[in-house]
Amino acid sequence: SSCNLRSNLAQSSGHGNSDDLTPKIPQDLLSMYTGTTHIKMPSNLPHEKLKLAILDLSSSNLINLPEEVLTLDTLRLLRLDYNYLTELPQNLPRLLNLEILTVAFNRLKSLPPTISGLSNLKELSLESNDIEVISDEISGLKSLRVLSIYHNPLSYFPCSIKDLACLKEFSFEWFHYTQPQLAIIQKGADGHGN
């Protein structure tokens, strides 16, 4: 099923008044995108009946992940790109079926140690955040196939990344981790090009 969320917004207030931004969500909804509409998540989500598989909260001006999202245990894809998140909740592993998590272009400083509890996660996109350290708990993501962490001020990678046996794609700025850094090698020892 799909849902025209903008028309649902008008219907949710009864008179087309856009002041009430809490939509009525159909129970057969499989995918929802909020975009830049500044929709607030309804606090009374019928999570035991809702079969939502895809939730896109990109560009929603989020500073925290709404608790209601963590009740959507059928979610397979969660997009949180282009928000203001500085952390992910410790109870994120409540999303047992989550396969794809994108949190690019936020302000994350680190990942919660509980991230390893996302046993079905296959793709994790963390690019353009403020992450300095990836903890060893990442090795618990045994199903992870794609890890994208470029444009982060990482100081090092944990050795446990080698334990991600399913990992097929690992995106980062490798030239920052060469000794000496590639930019110095390319310019030459005197600071000028060859």
Side-chain angles (χ1 to χ4, degrees):
S1 285
S2 62
C3 172
N4 183 336
L5 207 45
R6 292 187 194 275
S7 67
N8 252 6
L9 283 172
Q11 292 170 4
S12 70
S13 62
H15 304 297
N17 181 356
S18 62
D19 290 340
D20 180 9
L21 294 179
T22 305
K24 292 180 181 175
I25 299 177
Q27 291 181 1
D28 62 345
L29 183 70
L30 295 177
S31 176
M32 186 165 94
Y33 170 71
T34 63
T36 56
T37 58
H38 307 289
I39 293 170
K40 65 181 181 179
M41 291 297 293
S43 59
N44 59 346
L45 279 175
H47 58 87
E48 66 280 350
K49 296 178 185 173
L50 195 62
K51 302 292 184 223
L52 195 64
I54 299 170
L55 180 57
D56 191 336
L57 295 173
S58 298
S59 302
S60 295
N61 291 321
L62 295 175
I63 55 173
N64 293 305
L65 185 63
E67 184 68 27
E68 295 81 14
V69 172
L70 299 173
T71 65
L72 302 171
D73 58 4
T74 57
L75 267 186
R76 290 179 44 235
L77 185 149
L78 177 58
R79 291 195 188 284
L80 300 168
D81 306 319
Y82 297 98
N83 282 295
Y84 302 97
L85 300 171
T86 57
E87 63 183 5
L88 292 173
Q90 293 289 332
N91 54 355
L92 191 63
R94 287 174 47 191
L95 301 175
L96 299 172
N97 295 302
L98 195 63
E99 295 179 8
I100 300 172
L101 175 61
T102 68
V103 199
F105 298 93
N106 276 274
R107 297 177 179 166
L108 294 178
K109 304 277 186 210
S110 63
L111 296 176
T114 55
I115 191 113
S116 61
L118 293 171
S119 58
N120 291 312
L121 196 66
K122 294 179 179 146
E123 183 175 329
L124 179 58
S125 174
L126 301 167
E127 60 263 10
S128 297
N129 276 285
D130 297 321
I131 300 171
E132 293 182 14
V133 174
I134 300 273
S135 68
D136 282 326
E137 282 79 9
I138 198 159
S139 65
L141 299 174
K142 299 297 183 190
S143 300
L144 195 65
R145 294 181 184 161
V146 177
L147 175 59
S148 179
I149 56 174
Y150 59 89
H151 296 293
N152 278 286
L154 289 167
S155 55
Y156 73 96
F157 296 111
C159 293
S160 59
I161 285 185
K162 69 178 177 7
D163 298 330
L164 296 172
C166 293
L167 193 64
K168 302 290 183 214
E169 184 178 324
F170 181 31
S171 302
F172 66 100
E173 293 111 347
W174 58 269
F175 52 86
H176 288 295
Y177 303 97
T178 61
Q179 291 297 328
Q181 286 191 354
L182 186 58
I184 295 169
I185 295 169
Q186 287 178 329
K187 289 180 183 174
D190 59 2
H192 302 292
N194 291 340

